């Protein structure tokens, strides 16, 4: 049964293939819960993608069906990555697209981590 009206998880999506090591990436971090790498088309001086290790197609899927341990592990990893990259002093932005209106392109839940310059308005107006 699809979660929240989305198609079922597609194990051939590009981030699943990166997680399996089938396609290269510029890796930033890995632990039991999360994997992080540089976005191929960066929108800021630092643009890192953080994905959970588990097969979740979106934030809706992850927040509803991942275990508490996976959710806590993932969120802690996002914070650690930002800290270890030295982004806390100047600040950073997290963003997760979910579904059609957000423009989500890759159907494996991911958080964008942007930093390295003033990031402007949250949503271009
Ligand atoms: P979204 O629109 O939130 O699904 O974001 C997908 C992001 O994945 C975009 O910012 C793309 O530039 C990025 N992306 C797509 N393919 C790759 C790849 N092979 N390696 C790194 N980033 C990628």
């Amino acid at each position: 049964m699809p979660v929240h009206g989305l198609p079922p998880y597609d194990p051939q999506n590009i981030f699943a293939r990166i997680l399996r090591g089938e396609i290269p990436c510029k890796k930033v971090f890995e632990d039991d819960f999360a994997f992080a790498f540089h976005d191929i088309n960066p929108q800021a001086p630092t643009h890192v993608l953080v994905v959970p290790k588990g097969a979740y197609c979106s934030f809706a899927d992850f927040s509803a069906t991942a275990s508490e341990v996976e959710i806590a592990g993932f969120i802690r990893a996002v914070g650690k990555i930002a800290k270890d990259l030295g982004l806390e002093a100047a600040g950073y932005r997290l963003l997760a697209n979910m579904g059609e209106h957000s423009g989500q392109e890759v159907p494996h839940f991911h958080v964008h981590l942007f930093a390295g310059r003033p990031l402007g308005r949250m949503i271009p107006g």
Side-chain angles (χ1 to χ4, degrees), residues 7 11 64 76 101 119 121:
R76 287 203 193 279
H101 277 193
L119 293 164
R121 291 169 61 106

Side-chain angles (χ1 to χ4, degrees), residues 14-15 37-41 49 97 103-106 110 112:
I14 193 131
F15 294 169
F37 50 98
H38 290 282
D39 196 290
I40 204 167
N41 182 23
L49 299 170
N97 289 315
Q104 181 180 354
E105 291 171 5
V106 179
H110 51 283
H112 296 255

Side-chain angles (χ1 to χ4, degrees), residues 63-96:
S63 61
T65 65
S67 70
E68 276 75 359
V69 169
E70 286 174 289
I71 292 170
F74 179 76
I75 295 293
R76 287 203 193 279
V78 174
K80 178 172 168 46
I81 291 160
K83 182 174 185 180
D84 290 353
L85 289 173
L87 306 179
E88 287 187 346
Y92 58 86
R93 177 172 294 160
L94 301 177
L95 182 150

